[in-house]
Amino acid sequence: MSALKLYDTATRTVRDFTPIKKGEVSIYLCGATVQAAPHIGHIRSGVNFDILRRWLIASGNNVTFVRNVTDIDDKILQKAVIEKTPWWAVAMKYERAFSDAYAALNVLPPTYEPRATGHITQMIELMETLISNGSAYAPGNGDVYLEVRKLKRYLSLSNQKLDDLLPAGDADETYKRDPRDFALWKAAKPGEPYWPTPWGAGRPGWHLECSAMAEAYLGKSFDIHGGGLDLIFPHHENEIAQSEAAGSDFAKLWMHNAWVTTAGEKMSKSLGNSLLVTEILKRVRGVELRWYLGSAHYRSMLEFSFEALEESAVAFRRIENFLNRAVEVLGKNSEPIISKEFTKLMDDDLAVPQALALLSESLKSGNSALTSGDLKKIAEAASHIRGVLSILGCDPFERAYAQSGNANLSEAMDGLIALLLEQREAARLRKDFSAADSIRDRITSLGITIEDTADGPRWSVT
RNA sequence: GGUCGGGUGGCCGAGAGGCGAGGCUCGGGACUGCAAAUCCCGCUACACGGGUUCAAAUCCCGUCCCGACCUCCA
């Protein structure tokens, strides 16, 4: 019995979430336009919605999760010219880059991951519907526009008035009945890729694909539509306009994640390469980046700095260290438990930051139990921590984060270090501390940390 | 111009009328041959000016500052 509440952009309130079909949740997330490698802002969206998805699953729902790939658009075509390569090669290259980033951050693969170019047929059908019912028009040049003045309602998501909008600057308005009408379909210019349609050869406008694909995979009505804040207008407004004009109910609830900012500003694509996921992953592991991106509330801006990232990674290693020690002491891993308190927090619009305070309590209690040797409490703490981490997608024991090392090699290493530690222990016993410290220093300089515990020394690679 | 979101301690980051989230840093202590790890204690804030209230970071009015969107955007 879920009491999940989520913030709905459409009503600007936190409200009860009830799926259309009990136990089944359908989500459409606007994915990447594959025109450049992902930076950490792009991937935050993936992480935030992955947390939502994991929570819905943990709450007993079957989740159908659709995340599209926009593999044709103006920027991809521009990039193809710059990179002197076909547009589809550009799209494929960056789609792979996104896939790699999602995988590195343990973002669950979507149930379906449709590409725009694979759904031209559905888009044409949608346009036919819109033209035949008078919502859209083809002025004859190959373009197809949606006539926004004819809509029963428009701009309800962003709460704007049509007449307040600034007129589009560089739009070629000669074919538009109103400057605010937007393109469903764009006529191909010479040299551009095109698909044939009853109105001429061209390619999809940006918004059409999401309406077409959402209906294809989720039907005329589905539970949650998500994306970044900047998609509210125009992208999501236009999706609503198209789909409603075509007779769909479309999304029941709208969720938008906030940005990763630098110096208070939205991360822009012209910022350079330093914040690309691949670059960040040279500094911290995937699980640590995910922990960082997931740790702020999804509707709060996350002010990025390398200091904050490093700090966050250190905090995560502390948790990981406890879990590893718990396994050593207990001889086995503790099963994740989702506590009532945690459930209450997550049900409250995914209150992750407060859940982290809860985790912090478990960590303290677990570490204390480790000192006192209270096995029951150690297991309890480990279970609660793993419960939280499993929802955040940061459980270090998850397969996505498993070390793919050479088993023989680590066994040999284990033996070698044990040998050194035995010598050090012998030196300590005879109070030859300078010999003991010199062994420790040598080991430390190789990047291995030695800790003396009540149960003897333990080592870990830093 | 319209719409939306912010300003919280040295830093990050929650909360949204009362009983001061949490983490990091810093200071002190316990433990330890030393270190590391861990635990305990301490430091304590809500942009500014008014107002409402027994009580305001939270509500209201005003001001300042920052950011986002307005047909390329996570």
Side-chain angles (χ1 to χ4, degrees), chain A residues 290-332:
Chain A
R290 177 164 178 138
W291 171 260
Y292 173 68
L293 292 176
S295 64
H297 188 89
Y298 75 92
R299 286 194 281 121
S300 297
M301 301 292 174
L302 177 62
E303 174 61 21
F304 177 83
S305 71
F306 286 105
E307 292 73 21
L309 175 70
E310 296 289 350
E311 191 176 276
S312 167
V314 169
F316 180 76
R317 282 176 218 140
R318 231 179 126 235
I319 297 162
E320 198 176 20
N321 193 34
F322 164 72
L323 290 177
N324 284 331
R325 290 193 63 186
V327 171
E328 286 168 22
V329 172
L330 298 169
K332 64 180 169 62

Side-chain angles (χ1 to χ4, degrees), chain A residues 72-292:
Chain A
I72 180 77
D73 96 315
D74 293 351
K75 284 212 165 177
I76 293 172
L77 299 181
Q78 287 170 19
K79 205 61 168 269
V81 173
I82 295 167
E83 297 191 2
K84 295 190 170 69
T85 178
W87 64 272
W88 63 80
V90 171
M92 194 69 247
K93 175 177 161 186
Y94 294 119
E95 183 181 327
R96 287 234 168 83
F98 269 85
S99 294
D100 290 347
Y102 288 128
L105 295 214
N106 194 22
V107 173
L108 298 169
T111 317
Y112 309 114
E113 192 168 14
R115 296 188 186 118
T117 55
H119 298 76
I120 302 294
T121 308
Q122 287 86 341
M123 295 187 213
I124 293 174
E125 282 169 6
L126 181 53
M127 285 191 285
E128 276 170 342
T129 304
L130 291 170
I131 289 175
S132 68
N133 75 16
S135 306
Y137 58 97
N141 70 327
D143 290 342
V144 181
Y145 295 106
L146 197 83
E147 192 164 8
V148 295
R149 293 231 176 241
K150 282 198 177 165
L151 297 169
K152 274 179 291 205
R153 60 173 192 147
Y154 184 48
L155 307 176
S156 60
L157 192 62
S158 59
N159 194 27
Q160 297 176 100
K161 294 192 183 87
L162 192 55
D163 295 319
D164 290 340
L165 294 183
L166 296 177
D170 56 343
D172 175 7
E173 286 162 22
T174 50
Y175 295 98
K176 287 185 180 180
R177 292 180 187 167
D178 184 289
R180 287 144 189 120
D181 290 350
F182 62 88
L184 300 173
W185 194 261
K186 297 180 174 184
K189 298 188 187 95
E192 283 185 352
Y194 61 87
W195 289 261
T197 76
W199 314 284
R203 59 191 170 86
W206 176 31
H207 318 294
L208 189 64
E209 54 168 297
C210 287
S211 287
M213 295 191 290
E215 180 173 343
Y217 294 95
L218 301 174
K220 284 183 176 295
S221 179
F222 57 96
D223 293 307
I224 299 172
H225 193 130
L229 265 182
D230 44 2
L231 297 183
I232 294 174
F233 184 87
H235 187 51
H236 287 163
E237 291 287 13
N238 290 353
E239 283 184 43
I240 293 170
Q242 294 158 358
S243 290
E244 288 190 351
S248 289
D249 285 340
F250 215 50
K252 295 292 185 192
L253 190 139
W254 290 85
M255 293 178 72
H256 293 93
N257 65 280
W259 298 297
V260 179
T261 54
T262 46
E265 288 182 3
K266 177 185 177 183
M267 221 169 251
S268 85
K269 282 172 185 161
S270 56
L271 206 67
N273 293 329
S274 65
L275 299 175
L276 293 181
V277 173
T278 47
E279 290 302 308
I280 300 291
L281 288 179
K282 289 175 184 167
R283 292 171 173 253
V284 297
R285 294 174 297 156
V287 65
E288 290 162 353
L289 176 55
R290 177 164 178 138
W291 171 260
Y292 173 68

